[in-house]
Amino acid sequence: MAMDSAPINLTHHFLIAMPGLDDEAFARSVVYMCEHSNRGALGLVINKPSDINLQNLFDKVSLPLRRDDLTGSPVFQGGPVQTERGFVLHECMLAGSESVYAATMTIPGGLEMTTSRDVLEALSTGAGPRKVFVSLGYSSWGEGQLESEISENSWLTVEADLSLIFDTPVEQRYDKALLLLGLQSWMLSPEAGHA
């Protein structure tokens, strides 16, 4: 296959770490890809909870959390970049054709990622999006970097299934992501193969 073939777009896909990927931030990780273009890629690791929950986070930002369904939910380690900054992945909240929150990226596939405090303020009143995933930090790749890692067998890719992000217990997300490809972890070798 020629190296100048059509570019891939992995927006709204999962990256699933291969067993040979032993980088601490990404070992056995599942990354939801929020954006992928010829300039690079940005995603959130969806299966690495941090040691704080949403109630702790809201306490730190001096907001009440009036959503009983969220108080014990973990805050995730979204990746090694800007680990002190919050990222909220949530269902689309539109007012006309615009998001109701200030700093929001609309992701094809029905989600938005918001980095502004207004989404937290909405949740603090008991409102806001019904389904939310909150992380500190994100994952990013420069131009051509992700494509190179995929060609080196560091990642498997599959179209995202939103139930994996919002409805699947954290400890099952890696194996369930593999099942989207019809695979189980025992089937994967930690050694990269090259034909």
Side-chain angles (χ1 to χ4, degrees):
M1 176 155 62
M3 291 303 284
D4 59 354
S5 60
I8 58 172
N9 183 342
L10 296 174
T11 301
H12 188 63
H13 280 68
F14 290 136
L15 297 182
I16 307 166
M18 288 290 286
L21 184 60
D22 56 7
D23 177 298
E24 185 179 329
F26 294 113
R28 284 190 57 88
S29 68
V30 179
V31 182
Y32 175 74
M33 298 304 297
C34 300
E35 182 177 45
H36 184 217
S37 70
N38 59 0
R39 297 183 315 273
L42 180 148
L44 300 173
V45 177
I46 65 163
N47 66 328
K48 302 232 178 200
S50 71
D51 57 357
I52 66 171
N53 63 31
L54 282 178
Q55 184 64 62
N56 303 136
L57 178 68
F58 275 72
D59 290 345
K60 285 180 191 243
V61 297
S62 302
L63 286 172
L65 179 55
R66 295 191 178 96
R67 288 276 302 269
D68 292 340
D69 60 317
L70 298 177
T71 55
S73 298
V75 174
F76 288 81
Q77 300 169 36
V81 182
Q82 293 189 359
T83 56
E84 70 293 336
R85 188 169 178 200
F87 297 84
V88 181
L89 193 61
H90 57 85
E91 60 200 344
C92 283
M93 302 289 288
L94 299 177
S97 62
E98 298 290 317
S99 176
V100 298
Y101 304 117
T104 298
M105 169 193 299
T106 300
I107 304 164
L111 294 181
E112 293 178 330
M113 183 185 65
T114 300
T115 58
S116 52
R117 184 178 167 100
D118 54 354
V119 69
L120 298 180
E121 290 168 347
L123 293 171
S124 79
T125 68
R130 192 172 56 81
K131 295 185 180 230
V132 296
F133 169 92
V134 179
S135 77
L136 293 174
Y138 67 96
S139 305
S140 87
W141 293 262
E143 181 179 343
Q145 183 183 2
L146 180 57
E147 291 81 354
S148 175
E149 290 180 16
I150 290 170
S151 73
E152 294 165 1
N153 296 319
S154 294
W155 300 100
L156 294 171
T157 63
V158 65
E159 187 170 342
D161 177 345
L162 300 185
S163 68
L164 205 73
I165 300 169
F166 299 112
D167 305 321
T168 303
V170 175
E171 65 278 0
Q172 295 176 20
R173 291 179 185 177
Y174 183 79
D175 290 329
K176 296 264 186 176
L178 286 173
L179 280 175
L180 293 173
L181 291 166
L183 298 172
Q184 295 180 27
S185 56
W186 64 265
M187 299 171 157
L188 303 175
S189 168
E191 305 298 319
H194 298 282

